[in-house]
Amino acid sequence: MISVLIAEDQDMVRTGFRLILEAHQDITVVADVADGISAVERARALQPDVCLVDVRMPGLDGLEVTRQLAPHTRIVVVTTFDTDEVLHKALDHGAYGFLTKDASPALLAEAVRSAARGDVLVSPSVVLRVLGRSAPRLPDADAGLLTDRELDVVRLVSRGLSNGEIAAELHLSVSSIKSYLASVQAKIGARNRVEVVAWAFRAHVVSG
């Protein structure tokens, strides 16, 4: 069971996050708070596996909360302010995830699970935007490393879909999607979904 603390100053958003996460049998919300000071205090007292933290909050902002807690707690930053500066500061401070608030419920849960495993997950839209300005492209032939079905899976991962959503889209089982993703990661040398998205952009499988 993954224990989660939610720090978000908007009551409706905070409630929504709790409902989304507690719909999953492997996730439990141990507390939700409306300001950064409470987030640090409650996280230190409860020691949750993951903290879901908004950037703009009273008391301490989410970036400062991340800086204070990240050495001991895995943080997923959720924000409407997805600028490069905020992204880089969040990751520099030790965040294990960076999502925009329009992320799907499934991606929110996936980010929590990813952080609990020690992996980093960034919203695909943010990854593609950053790559669009800075990453060199690979030859189109690199896409030939993958089968047509694996490319289908990669394109859907790049849209931010979870394994369950990809399975529904392709009319396959979740276990099949996991197998395809494992094969993709082995072929292209990617450690996680963020690196899959980065490769997809560089190999012209998706556009920014």
Side-chain angles (χ1 to χ4, degrees):
M1 183 70 73
I2 302 169
S3 58
V4 179
L5 180 146
I6 299 169
E8 161 63 55
D9 65 332
Q10 296 184 52
D11 292 344
M12 290 183 64
V13 175
R14 194 167 64 251
T15 299
F17 285 167
R18 176 184 276 274
L19 290 172
I20 288 168
L21 294 178
E22 291 196 327
H24 298 269
Q25 293 184 347
D26 60 332
I27 298 173
T28 182
V29 177
V30 294
D32 61 72
V33 300
D35 65 87
I37 293 173
S38 298
V40 172
E41 291 174 348
R42 295 289 282 161
R44 287 175 174 167
L46 297 171
Q47 297 187 334
D49 298 312
V50 178
C51 290
L52 199 64
V53 176
D54 185 23
V55 169
R56 292 198 175 180
M57 292 186 294
L60 297 174
D61 67 26
L63 296 175
E64 178 60 21
V65 170
T66 301
R67 189 189 69 78
Q68 292 191 27
L69 293 179
H72 313 289
T73 307
R74 288 169 179 168
I75 309 294
V76 174
V77 172
V78 185
T79 181
T80 53
F81 304 98
D82 63 334
T83 65
D84 289 0
E85 181 183 7
V86 172
L87 169 64
H88 292 149
K89 282 186 177 179
L91 297 179
D92 285 346
H93 288 342
Y96 274 79
F98 188 90
L99 298 182
T100 54
K101 286 188 178 178
D102 59 358
S104 71
L107 189 62
L108 185 70
E110 184 62 30
V112 167
R113 294 189 185 106
S114 179
R117 292 193 304 267
D119 293 331
V120 175
L121 191 153
V122 178
S123 281
S125 60
V126 177
V127 174
L128 289 173
R129 189 193 71 222
V130 173
L131 288 172
R133 291 194 302 274
S134 61
R137 291 296 190 112
L138 298 169
D140 289 353
D142 276 50
L145 292 170
L146 306 185
T147 67
D148 289 344
R149 182 58 85 191
E150 287 169 345
L151 289 170
D152 290 339
V153 171
V154 167
R155 291 185 183 101
L156 294 174
V157 167
S158 299
R159 283 171 44 193
L161 274 63
S162 68
N163 288 348
E165 290 169 328
I166 295 170
E169 183 88 9
L170 298 179
H171 306 290
L172 297 170
S173 67
V174 173
S175 61
S176 294
I177 300 305
K178 290 180 179 178
S179 295
Y180 280 123
L181 264 178
S183 175
V184 167
Q185 289 178 210
K187 287 180 178 180
I188 67 176
R191 293 168 297 177
N192 52 49
R193 296 169 92 90
V194 174
E195 292 186 359
V196 169
V197 174
W199 176 88
F201 173 83
R202 297 180 64 220
H204 304 266
V205 173
V206 298
S207 58

